Amino acid sequence: MNSKQKISTSLLLALALFTNVFAQNEIKVLQYKVSSPVPVQEPIKIDSTDVNKKKFDDKNLLSSFINAENVLAQSQTLSTDTAGVIFFEKSGEKGKSFRISSFDLESDRYSKAKISVTSTEMLEIYINDKKETSKETFEDSLPGAKSADIDLTMEPYRRYSIVIKSLVRNTDTIKSLLKTSIKPEKKENPAQIRASINGKRKVNINDIIEGHRITGSSLSYSGKYFLAYYNRVLPGGKNSAYIELRELKDNRLISRFEGNTYPRWMPSADKLIYTKDGVGNKDFFTIDPASLEEICIAKGVKFDSYQISPDHSFLIINIREEIPADKGDLKRYLSPSDRAGSFRGRNSLYIYRFAGQQTQQLTFGHTNTYLTAIRPDSKKILFMTGKEDFSQRLLRAGALFEMDLQTLAIDTITTDPYISTATYSPDYQKILFNGNAEAFGGIGLDIKPGQTVNTYDNQGFIMDIKTREVKAITKNFNPSISNGQWAKIDNKVYFSADDEDRKSIYIYDPKTDKYERPELEEDIISGFQVATTAPVAIYRGESAANAYRLYSYDLKTKKSQLLSDPFAEQLAELELSEMKDWNFNTSDGTEIKGRYYLPVDFDPDKKYPMIVYYYGGTTPTTRIFESTYPLQTYAALGYVVYTLQPSGSIGFGQEFSARHVNAWGIATADEIIEGAKRFCDEHAFVDRSKIGCIGASYGGFMTQYLQTQTDIFAAAISHAGISALSSYWGEGYWGYAYSAVASAGSFPWNNPKLYVEQSPLFQADKIKTPLLLLHGNVDTNVPIGESIQMYNALKLLNKTVEFIRVEGENHAIYGYQKRIEWNKTIHAWFAKWLKEQSEWWDALYPERAQ
């Protein structure tokens, strides 16, 4: 080969290499969704100039509003030529028209790119409904056409909807041309950017926060009508709430109320009762759904909360008074609870009779009193007293009384400190209690010798009022129950229950002492309510792949009917992850249940990083879509997500939940570690060198503790986590009270081994995993000092640690923008350590001089 041939070959190789690099670094949009032309006319010119002394021109037409989403509903798909140019047909009409063209962009990593739109027409460019730039000139041919450029920063797998609004000249002599190219910022590992028009997108944190949702419901006395409560959160965080009154039979809308109206159903009639501001206090009104007639039934009533009697003749109202605080700058604490700000409030009960328009005080004193139930015949009430008592395990004492409303004579029903609610049976011969298994002398206990019951595991009891005999109805029933409704229509009790990782409804029949779980439409059931005089109920339901929906339920046919699904339209846009159950047996034979989510574009032949998530306390990680830690969003970012229910969770039986007490990571950590390893053994698509973990509150503690026990994790996140049990016990507003459950009978002075050896801070030198600490700076549950001291320890030990403080947020992050940025921080940390993509983290938190 001579020298000329060598040079020629080298040039060809270089050209081929250049062409390949160029192809990788420039994406041409080859397909668009395109609307039909929308004619636009110039206005009648009353004057030659506007108020700013400017003449009318085509720029004014370009800025005219047009609803792109509606116009594109009747769009067609048009493809470009090989050069990426699209030729539009003229409308045939004179004058000008709008044409909407759109496509979507998605990147597999945090990246930056330049979008260039070249056209012969004037145009505006919108990204995710926000106008970004415009081109305000016309040209006659593409070679001479100007372009509009946008520098776009793209987050991983987030859809960027690009809308081009063109002002088209309808002439035969000028062709309407359009070309779009995307040039990623050159990096060593360039992003893979995809342009498409399929309309689907992956779920992101905005979908969890924003949108139209149903937040509550209630059913009328006869079951003929219902109320549905809605909230709509718009991009930017603005929200609006409203309430709809509908007829159940045909779902017909009757009326709509503002979100601050708070109507509720009368207990024995199909009428609504609600309040309005009156002179000094509140006025009460009723409204008849059939006629929408509004009647004022009381004026000037003072109350903090109220309940109307079954016969509608009176209100039982609660009025709160405050124990005066010390004057000046020196404040004396009366109790450990005084720091919480609500301790000094004392509640008393009053009765307001409609007939005489008169209020009478029923209870008096500095002890709190609470109404628990009004007897169905309206003659008596049940009320509880409550006060602190540090001699009791749960640090409180109280009693349940029955009061005769005519004589005000009271009968002590029980002084058991372990009950929490009480309500009458329909015939008011029995009382249904909710409490924990230690109530009534421990007749409901079902734990092993040596165990201490987890008092967050709720149980049910029924007392015969006449004989005072009590029956434990959930002793051998694993779900943890709450919110029991003893229905008059069939004399059965309808319980809401934590049922493993679901929230189910169980029907208890006192005659047969048996439970039945109706087959309802969702995994997470909320607000199940049975009508008083009809065999019909209403409920909300949510699952891992959808937001809450509203249903009616026929007690006879056992069928549900969908009433409302306001999130459906937004959900239809989303590509959600596939979820599968996966359980394993530990080395000691315990079955640990769990589930996992696969990336949306899952390929079983690829290796994926994995995120492990676990409970924040003793509550299971339920199958919900709208979670504070939304597992679907993690899967959408390309992770396998594994969540499990380790020992200590309620909903699996008393023995299982009792493992939470005096453990603080014992067994639980081993189960999480074993579960993660076993999952990798059985699922070859997981890259076991790229496993991350995340938890909050008690789960944040678990994150920190896990890193002292294993090095299998490549990244870890602790939100509001506990680093030292003794400081949390003493400094958390409710630390000492939570510890009364989780550390029953153990204190720093009588069990220092627990407080030291189970505290991650005392083993900080063992931590090797890069750890991100997140904490709200006004957290009253787990004070921010828990993260501060772990951060200080790891910094002194020269470990990899980051600490992000969220201003103005408490134990959970609820501020709209702060919640979004907090989630992006989580995503960026995992991208850095599990995908070796640090760009996102570096953009959020650039290096600064110390």
Side-chain angles (χ1 to χ4, degrees):
M1 183 180 294
N2 60 36
S3 60
K4 288 184 178 181
Q5 288 176 316
K6 288 181 179 179
I7 293 172
S8 178
T9 302
S10 298
L11 287 171
L12 289 172
L13 288 172
L15 182 60
L17 180 61
F18 174 79
T19 304
N20 187 44
V21 170
F22 183 81
Q24 288 181 348
N25 285 275
E26 181 176 8
I27 299 100
K28 296 175 182 176
V29 178
L30 302 178
Q31 282 190 323
Y32 299 81
K33 289 173 64 177
V34 180
S35 73
S36 299
V38 180
V40 58
Q41 295 178 324
E42 294 186 7
I44 301 298
K45 299 178 181 65
I46 306 299
D47 298 301
S48 59
T49 62
D50 63 11
V51 294
N52 296 312
K53 298 184 179 181
K54 291 184 178 181
K55 292 184 178 182
F56 184 88
D57 61 20
D58 290 326
K59 295 177 185 178
N60 298 84
L61 286 181
L62 180 64
S63 64
S64 301
F65 172 76
I66 183 170
N67 190 313
E69 183 179 0
N70 286 351
V71 172
L72 286 170
Q74 302 297 323
S75 64
Q76 58 179 319
T77 299
L78 295 182
S79 299
T80 70
D81 62 12
T82 55
V85 180
I86 189 168
F87 297 79
F88 293 113
E89 295 291 334
K90 299 295 182 175
S91 68
E93 300 290 334
K94 293 182 179 181
K96 297 179 179 70
S97 61
F98 283 124
R99 180 179 281 111
I100 307 297
S101 309
S102 76
F103 61 91
D104 297 330
L105 287 180
E106 183 182 274
S107 175
D108 70 337
R109 62 191 296 161
Y110 184 89
S111 61
K112 296 181 179 180
K114 181 183 289 294
I115 303 175
S116 294
V117 179
T118 307
S119 175
T120 55
E121 312 291 359
M122 279 189 174
L123 56 82
E124 291 180 336
I125 304 175
Y126 295 78
I127 300 181
N128 292 346
D129 298 323
K130 180 184 178 183
K131 180 184 173 182
E132 297 293 341
T133 191
S134 61
K135 172 182 172 288
E136 298 179 342
T137 60
F138 289 115
E139 290 83 28
D140 293 341
S141 64
L142 196 62
K146 295 181 180 179
S147 65
D149 297 334
I150 300 171
D151 290 321
L152 177 63
T153 298
M154 305 180 70
E155 296 173 2
Y157 297 109
R158 186 180 183 92
R159 186 182 76 176
Y160 293 85
S161 178
I162 316 298
V163 171
I164 304 167
K165 184 179 78 173
S166 302
L167 183 62
V168 180
R169 296 162 293 171
N170 298 317
T171 67
D172 295 331
T173 58
I174 301 173
K175 292 182 179 180
S176 182
L177 307 175
L178 178 70
K179 178 183 178 180
T180 304
S181 64
I182 299 98
K183 294 181 179 179
E185 185 179 62
K186 291 184 178 180
K187 291 286 185 181
E188 183 179 347
N189 297 306
Q192 297 299 310
I193 297 175
R194 181 170 63 102
S196 69
I197 58 169
N198 67 8
K200 287 283 189 177
R201 60 182 177 84
K202 295 178 175 64
V203 62
N204 60 61
I205 185 57
N206 294 74
D207 293 304
I208 306 301
I209 300 174
E210 298 166 0
H212 191 193
R213 287 174 167 83
I214 185 157
T215 58
S217 61
S218 62
L219 192 59
S220 72
Y221 169 76
S222 72
K224 184 177 181 180
Y225 305 101
F226 70 94
L227 292 173
Y229 301 79
Y230 293 92
N231 189 54
R232 187 193 300 270
V233 180
L234 300 174
K238 185 177 180 180
N239 72 83
S240 59
Y242 64 95
I243 305 161
E244 289 186 345
L245 168 62
R246 288 181 175 269
E247 193 165 2
L248 188 66
K249 183 179 179 181
D250 56 8
N251 206 10
R252 178 177 62 89
L253 177 65
I254 298 172
S255 186
R256 181 173 289 173
F257 301 90
E258 294 182 4
N260 59 358
T261 306
Y262 309 117
R264 64 177 76 175
W265 291 107
M266 302 276 277
S268 302
D270 283 344
K271 288 187 177 182
L272 292 168
I273 183 171
Y274 52 92
T275 64
K276 296 180 182 180
D277 289 335
V279 179
N281 294 301
K282 295 283 187 178
D283 296 341
F284 279 82
F285 294 82
T286 63
I287 190 168
D288 186 341
S291 63
L292 295 182
E293 180 185 10
E294 184 182 68
I295 299 175
C296 181
I297 60 172
K299 289 187 175 183
V301 183
K302 179 184 178 181
F303 67 92
D304 288 300
S305 62
Y306 73 91
Q307 185 172 330
I308 189 168
S309 64
D311 66 0
H312 305 166
S313 66
F314 61 83
L315 300 171
I316 298 295
I317 59 180
N318 177 76
I319 295 180
R320 178 185 174 90
E321 296 178 302
E322 299 290 328
I323 298 175
D326 296 317
K327 296 180 179 180
D329 295 328
L330 303 183
K331 307 294 183 183
R332 176 195 179 198
Y333 281 121
L334 302 181
S335 160
S337 298
D338 210 355
R339 297 173 60 211
S342 59
F343 165 78
R344 292 176 180 263
R346 295 296 185 265
N347 300 288
S348 298
L349 296 178
Y350 295 73
I351 186 170
Y352 176 88
R353 298 189 185 277
F354 291 112
Q357 302 280 293
Q358 181 182 4
T359 300
Q360 178 185 353
Q361 189 167 6
L362 298 178
T363 63
F364 172 83
H366 63 268
T367 299
N368 278 313
T369 54
Y370 306 91
L371 176 72
T372 65
I374 303 177
R375 208 167 79 167
D377 66 354
S378 301
K379 293 183 178 180
K380 295 184 178 182
I381 62 170
L382 292 175
F383 72 94
M384 296 182 72
T385 60
K387 61 182 179 181
E388 287 188 324
D389 184 347
F390 297 118
S391 69
Q392 300 288 334
R393 175 192 167 186
L394 296 184
L395 313 178
R396 67 172 185 258
L400 177 72
F401 300 94
E402 185 178 54
M403 176 188 288
D404 187 307
L405 294 176
Q406 294 299 318
T407 65
L408 301 194
I410 63 171
D411 181 13
T412 303
I413 302 298
T414 179
T415 58
D416 196 302
Y418 295 108
I419 62 169
S420 54
T421 65
T423 187
Y424 286 104
S425 62
D427 64 2
Y428 46 90
Q429 301 303 305
K430 296 180 174 62
I431 298 174
L432 173 67
F433 292 96
N434 194 340
N436 69 72
E438 289 184 306
F440 301 109
I443 63 172
L445 285 170
D446 186 25
I447 56 178
K448 292 181 178 179
Q451 284 189 313
T452 302
V453 70
N454 182 340
T455 55
Y456 291 136
D457 196 328
N458 291 317
Q459 306 296 314
F461 305 86
I462 292 179
M463 172 189 284
D464 185 294
I465 298 176
K466 186 176 182 180
T467 66
R468 294 298 201 267
E469 292 182 0
V470 180
K471 180 179 182 179
I473 62 174
T474 57
K475 180 175 182 178
N476 304 118
F477 181 69
N478 284 341
S480 175
I481 64 152
S482 60
N483 302 328
Q485 178 191 0
W486 203 323
K488 180 179 180 179
I489 188 69
D490 57 8
N491 199 38
K492 295 178 181 179
V493 182
Y494 291 77
F495 284 114
S496 176
D498 286 284
D499 185 15
E500 298 184 351
D501 63 352
R502 294 175 170 84
K503 287 189 180 292
S504 303
I505 296 300
Y506 279 90
I507 306 172
Y508 173 71
D509 189 340
K511 293 181 179 179
T512 63
D513 195 29
K514 292 183 178 180
Y515 282 89
E516 172 192 359
R517 187 179 75 178
E519 294 298 323
L520 303 178
E521 293 298 316
E522 307 286 354
D523 289 325
I524 307 300
I525 307 300
S526 176
F528 192 95
Q529 180 191 359
V530 180
T532 305
T533 61
V536 66
I538 197 170
Y539 69 91
R540 290 187 304 137
E542 178 184 18
S543 295
N546 61 270
Y548 273 110
R549 298 163 172 157
L550 182 63
Y551 297 86
S552 63
Y553 180 73
D554 190 308
L555 273 59
K556 291 184 176 180
T557 65
K558 301 183 179 181
K559 298 292 184 183
S560 295
Q561 182 176 343
L562 181 66
L563 296 173
S564 181
D565 185 9
F567 195 71
E569 184 177 350
Q570 187 168 334
L571 187 67
E573 298 179 6
L574 305 178
E575 292 180 294
L576 296 181
S577 167
E578 180 183 6
M579 185 195 75
K580 296 183 179 182
D581 292 328
W582 185 79
N583 310 323
F584 73 97
N585 290 323
T586 65
S587 53
D588 68 0
T590 301
E591 183 183 33
I592 301 298
K593 295 191 174 183
R595 63 187 188 276
Y596 64 97
Y597 301 73
L598 293 171
V600 173
D601 301 318
F602 176 69
D603 181 347
D605 296 326
K606 290 184 178 180
K607 290 281 189 179
Y608 293 92
M610 182 170 78
I611 295 173
V612 180
Y613 176 67
Y614 29 79
Y615 71 0
T618 121
T619 305
T621 59
T622 50
R623 298 169 181 255
I624 56 176
F625 176 73
E626 300 168 306
S627 170
T628 309
Y629 302 87
L631 305 189
Q632 284 279 2
T633 66
Y634 303 162
L637 290 168
Y639 300 99
V640 174
V641 184
Y642 169 49
T643 184
L644 68 162
Q645 320 299 334
S647 289
S649 300
I650 63 173
F652 294 83
Q654 290 183 44
E655 189 280 326
F656 195 85
S657 66
R659 300 181 188 186
H660 179 73
V661 183
N662 280 313
W664 288 98
I666 298 173
T668 303
D670 292 339
E671 291 166 359
I672 294 172
I673 295 167
E674 185 176 356
K677 290 180 177 179
R678 293 271 297 276
F679 189 90
C680 292
D681 292 341
E682 296 186 21
H683 301 90
F685 50 77
V686 175
D687 182 350
R688 64 193 312 146
S689 70
K690 298 295 183 183
I691 305 174
C693 61
I694 181 172
S697 192
Y698 189 93
F701 156 80
M702 282 306 309
T703 290
Q704 296 181 35
Y705 181 74
L706 280 166
Q707 310 323 306
T708 71
Q709 305 298 303
T710 184
D711 59 1
I712 68 168
F713 298 108
I717 298 177
S718 166
H719 174 73
I722 300 161
S723 62
L725 305 189
S726 58
S727 56
Y728 165 68
W729 171 86
E731 294 181 8
Y733 280 20
W734 301 281
Y736 70 98
Y738 177 77
S739 297
V741 179
S743 313
S746 295
F747 301 95
W749 54 87
N750 68 1
N751 193 354
K753 181 179 179 181
L754 175 73
Y755 282 81
V756 172
E757 293 185 5
Q758 297 310 117
S759 292
L761 182 65
F762 288 84
Q763 304 180 66
D765 58 325
K766 297 179 182 178
I767 295 177
K768 301 176 182 178
T769 309
L771 176 62
L772 171 63
L773 301 164
L774 299 166
H775 223 120
N777 74 321
V778 290
D779 192 333
T780 54
N781 189 335
V782 178
I784 195 172
E786 293 301 310
S787 287
I788 292 173
Q789 58 191 2
M790 177 56 80
Y791 175 75
N792 291 347
L794 295 178
K795 274 295 187 180
L796 291 173
L797 290 164
N798 199 30
K799 304 285 186 176
T800 303
V801 62
E802 292 280 359
F803 176 32
I804 305 298
R805 184 181 70 187
V806 188
E807 295 294 319
E809 292 293 318
N810 205 303
H811 196 50
I813 310 301
Y814 289 126
Y816 172 84
Q817 191 59 42
K818 286 182 279 192
R819 187 175 173 189
I820 291 175
E821 295 303 320
W822 170 71
N823 271 275
K824 289 180 180 179
T825 298
I826 292 170
H827 300 162
W829 182 256
F830 282 139
K832 178 176 181 176
W833 294 104
L834 303 185
K835 292 186 175 183
E836 298 182 2
Q837 298 173 6
S838 63
E839 297 92 343
W840 201 356
W841 180 267
D842 294 340
L844 290 173
Y845 305 103
E847 288 296 326
R848 294 186 177 93
Q850 294 186 359

